[in-house]
Amino acid sequence: HWPGNIRELENAVEHAYIRSKTNRIDFESLPLSISGSSPQEAPQAPPESLPAGKEEMERVFIEKVLKKHGGNKTKIAEELGVSRTTLWRKLKRHNLDA
């Protein structure tokens, strides 16, 4: 059972893939809204260097979320499951403009 629409499912899977520390999506990789973990229990950022494919996936995913929320950094960080500071670093690393 999935409580949302297909776009929300797609975003959740992309989010989990980006946050995954391996090539497998696990419970801890899921967005907080699905896993129910508290922010303290969830990883706040992916490892410092991601494999090239994951870097590109992260950039594409962040671009999608940027468009979805019209550049609202609070909502973007919330959906990505990261702090605003981490979001700022990711935007800078990927040369993205909110």
Side-chain angles (χ1 to χ4, degrees):
H1 173 72
W2 177 254
N5 63 38
I6 191 69
R7 276 177 273 147
E8 291 170 327
L9 176 59
E10 180 182 71
N11 287 338
V13 171
E14 287 176 0
H15 176 92
Y17 176 77
I18 289 167
R19 290 189 58 195
S20 174
K21 294 179 183 177
T22 65
N23 287 335
R24 188 171 168 222
I25 294 174
D26 56 18
F27 184 76
E28 293 168 350
S29 302
L30 295 172
L32 298 176
S33 59
I34 297 170
S35 68
S37 301
S38 68
Q40 301 90 288
E41 296 169 359
Q44 290 300 308
E48 286 304 312
S49 63
L50 294 170
K54 281 193 173 186
E55 280 287 339
E56 179 63 15
M57 282 290 297
E58 180 179 65
R59 185 189 64 73
V60 169
F61 183 65
I62 292 172
E63 281 181 329
K64 266 188 182 179
V65 178
L66 271 168
K67 289 176 187 172
K68 177 181 175 182
H69 293 294
N72 182 318
K73 290 179 184 166
T74 301
K75 288 183 180 180
I76 295 165
E78 201 173 273
E79 181 165 333
L80 294 176
V82 298
S83 69
R84 284 179 47 108
T85 304
T86 299
L87 173 63
W88 176 81
R89 286 187 194 117
K90 288 178 182 294
L91 292 172
K92 187 174 179 179
R93 184 173 71 228
H94 294 295
N95 293 322
L96 296 172
D97 235 351

